[in-house]
Amino acid sequence: MKSWIVILIAGLIASCSSENTIDEKQKAVDQIFADFQNGMPGAAVMVIEDGEIILQKGYGLARVSDQTPVTDDTNFRLASVTKQFTAMTILQLIERGQLSFETSLTDIFPDLPEYGQVITIRHMLQHSSGIKDYGPMSSMDLGRQFNDQDVVDYLMTLDDVDFKVGEKHVYSNSAYVTFTKIHEKITGQPWHEYVKENIFDPIGMSNSLAFVDGVNAVSKRAYGHTVEDNGNILETDQNKWSAMLGDGGIYSNLNDFYKWDQALYRDQLLSQNMMDAMFTNQKTNDGIPMNYGYGWRLETYKGMEIHYHTGSSIGFRNIYYRIPSKNFSIVIFRNRDEGSEFSSLEYAHKMVDVFFN
């Protein structure tokens, strides 16, 4: 009898100790995001461990003008965190035999200048294509926001790339924007519909979407803000680049992102072999590691191998940070692009320091 009492007391002590530990960690996280409270543009933060959400909280406001608070179902523009979804849609086509890693740009777009003959899908996935950035398009006045087709049209006017294909890793928004038009040409389906039917719907991400103004609508939407040095808060939600899809046009929330996180441990959306390829460190022609897979950045922190991606656009700063060996993930969405002390990666590191001290 006494032995059972001892076991019961020990269990209660362990449970209380665990709860205290989580409470302490929550307080530490609250301190990290103290600058996102009290009427400020906000942040949505989640920590997942062994398939369970152990911390989930909204800070501050989704829209300052109407004082809407950030919650776990507030939808943020993911910016370049979108690239992991874009990469997966391309990998799905490769797995189905509709495309290959060695398919060239001119195989898809025969009218593209000669430089497209040596650029492959693999080069574009790993950011080694040398495709020029679409930034110079800013001088064009279309009377509307740029879209993905505009970027393909712009590439048609160029004579060359920025460097020899495969020579180095240089981050390319142009490549990932072009992926949506490649995808549409092969499937005949608008990309925003495809990603819904082949990624969001199968895993239950019912409130996530690739936003196309006038076609679909973002529910419970976070609006982007800029906090100026003098403390003024401006709503800076959109600019001329914000309508592009492939490099940053998905909106999602913490509840849906938990489902995405868990799907990455299964082969529901891709085979395990292709999932492994997605997280494999790519190399240049000279064998130099890129610290990038297909739509994912790679790093080592505190001796742990990390898969992550940041996302930055006007009004938004985000990061999704995974430690697969620990079954541990951090999601941080922020709807402000200035006025905070740390970069997205620094916020993730601070969170890791709380849980792995």
Side-chain angles (χ1 to χ4, degrees), residues 185-203:
K185 188 160 186 184
I186 290 173
T187 65
Q189 183 179 28
W191 190 78
H192 71 274
E193 292 181 2
Y194 178 92
V195 74
K196 178 182 185 299
E197 293 178 8
N198 292 270
I199 295 181
F200 298 150
D201 287 352
I203 61 177

Side-chain angles (χ1 to χ4, degrees), residues 252-276:
S252 191
N253 59 51
L254 294 184
N255 290 331
D256 274 10
F257 231 77
Y258 168 74
K259 298 170 184 177
W260 171 244
D261 177 81
Q262 294 305 292
L264 293 175
Y265 290 103
R266 306 190 299 270
D267 59 1
Q268 183 177 356
L269 299 173
L270 282 174
S271 68
Q272 190 59 57
N273 285 341
M274 194 65 86
M275 293 283 282
D276 291 343

